[in-house]
Amino acid sequence: ACTSANVLILGESGTGKELVAKAIHFNGPRKDEKFVTINCGAIPENLIESELFGHEKGSFTGAVSRSIGRFEQANGGTLFLDEIGDMPMEAQTRLLRVLQEGEYTSVGGRSPIRADTRVIAATHHDLKRLIRRGLFREDLFFRLNVVPIRLPALRNRVEDIPELVRHFLARAASNGLPWKIIEPEAIELFKGHGWPGNVRELENLVQ
């Protein structure tokens, strides 16, 4: 947390990758600056570069004014690239250039913009498999994978379930739901469940 090194968080859906990214940001020297999130898999392929780097007025149909991108929004702070494995190849190339050179240009722009942004990326994909299939740039992987953090699935850390259940029960009560107690026998049943949705599934069940 105390550095500006790029971080790559790997783990199944629901394991808490964004929570870890926020913990890194808010325990580091950039904690008073912005934490900006973009889901690389939720934005249409033709808009991802504009979302990341911004665009100039008239740079494409519908660009009626200048718009700043997520890199500029996160300047001085942290940019969390969620589901980086779903990023289109062309956007990967531009992201690599930013990480290498520390600057970028907006879509339709000519003047370089300095990027003082820490990048934390996350994915549930096996990036090395995507690299072998030609779907992810190997050089970008090495740029992002400075500090790798692998989050285990909930089924591989069932000893955490009782504490997580207590936490989610308290949160539910603070949100106005009745206070409930889960018996030890039920906790043992929880430990035997596969939890394909991981901690998010457990949270939803408790709620």
Side-chain angles (χ1 to χ4, degrees):
C2 62
T3 75
S4 287
N6 296 333
V7 178
L8 180 60
I9 306 173
L10 305 169
E12 295 178 9
S13 180
T15 49
K17 295 186 288 295
E18 185 170 355
L19 198 66
V20 170
K22 287 180 176 179
I24 293 169
H25 171 77
F26 288 108
N27 285 281
R30 296 173 181 261
K31 63 184 178 183
D32 295 326
E33 303 297 334
K34 287 185 178 180
F35 178 87
V36 177
T37 299
I38 181 170
N39 187 321
C40 301
I43 297 171
E45 186 171 342
N46 61 329
L47 294 178
I48 184 79
E49 290 188 55
S50 173
E51 284 286 333
L52 283 172
F53 309 115
H55 63 257
E56 301 300 319
K57 180 179 179 180
S59 56
F60 56 85
T61 303
V64 295
S65 62
R66 183 181 187 271
S67 176
I68 68 171
R70 303 300 173 90
F71 264 98
E72 195 168 343
Q73 291 174 20
N75 189 52
T78 300
L79 177 62
F80 177 53
L81 300 172
D82 199 11
E83 299 304 344
I84 188 73
D86 295 320
M87 179 178 280
M89 189 63 73
E90 189 172 338
Q92 290 179 34
T93 301
R94 289 205 61 187
L95 175 61
L96 175 65
R97 193 174 301 124
V98 176
L99 298 180
Q100 287 175 333
E101 301 174 6
E103 61 182 28
Y104 60 94
T105 54
S106 60
V107 176
R110 295 184 178 181
S111 301
I113 302 170
R114 193 71 190 160
D116 175 23
T117 308
R118 184 183 194 170
V119 173
I120 302 178
T123 183
H124 70 279
H125 288 295
D126 182 342
L127 291 184
K128 291 184 178 179
R129 181 180 295 175
L130 292 183
I131 290 168
R132 290 193 297 269
R133 294 173 56 196
L135 298 175
F136 199 83
R137 292 188 61 124
E138 187 173 32
D139 43 6
L140 176 58
F141 171 76
F142 288 125
R143 282 281 174 178
L144 294 170
N145 196 41
V146 179
V147 182
I149 298 176
R150 183 173 294 278
L151 298 187
L154 184 57
R155 61 184 174 277
N156 295 327
R157 55 183 184 110
V158 294
E159 66 277 4
D160 291 343
I161 288 177
E163 185 63 34
L164 287 167
V165 167
R166 282 192 289 271
H167 172 70
F168 293 140
L169 283 172
R171 179 186 288 177
S174 70
N175 288 334
L177 292 171
W179 182 262
K180 297 288 182 70
I181 294 173
I182 296 182
E183 296 288 347
E185 294 85 356
I187 294 292
E188 290 305 310
L189 288 173
F190 284 5
K191 289 180 178 180
H193 180 56
W195 300 107
N198 291 292
V199 180
R200 186 180 296 122
E201 181 185 355
L202 176 64
E203 179 181 15
N204 291 343
L205 178 74
V206 171
Q207 189 170 352

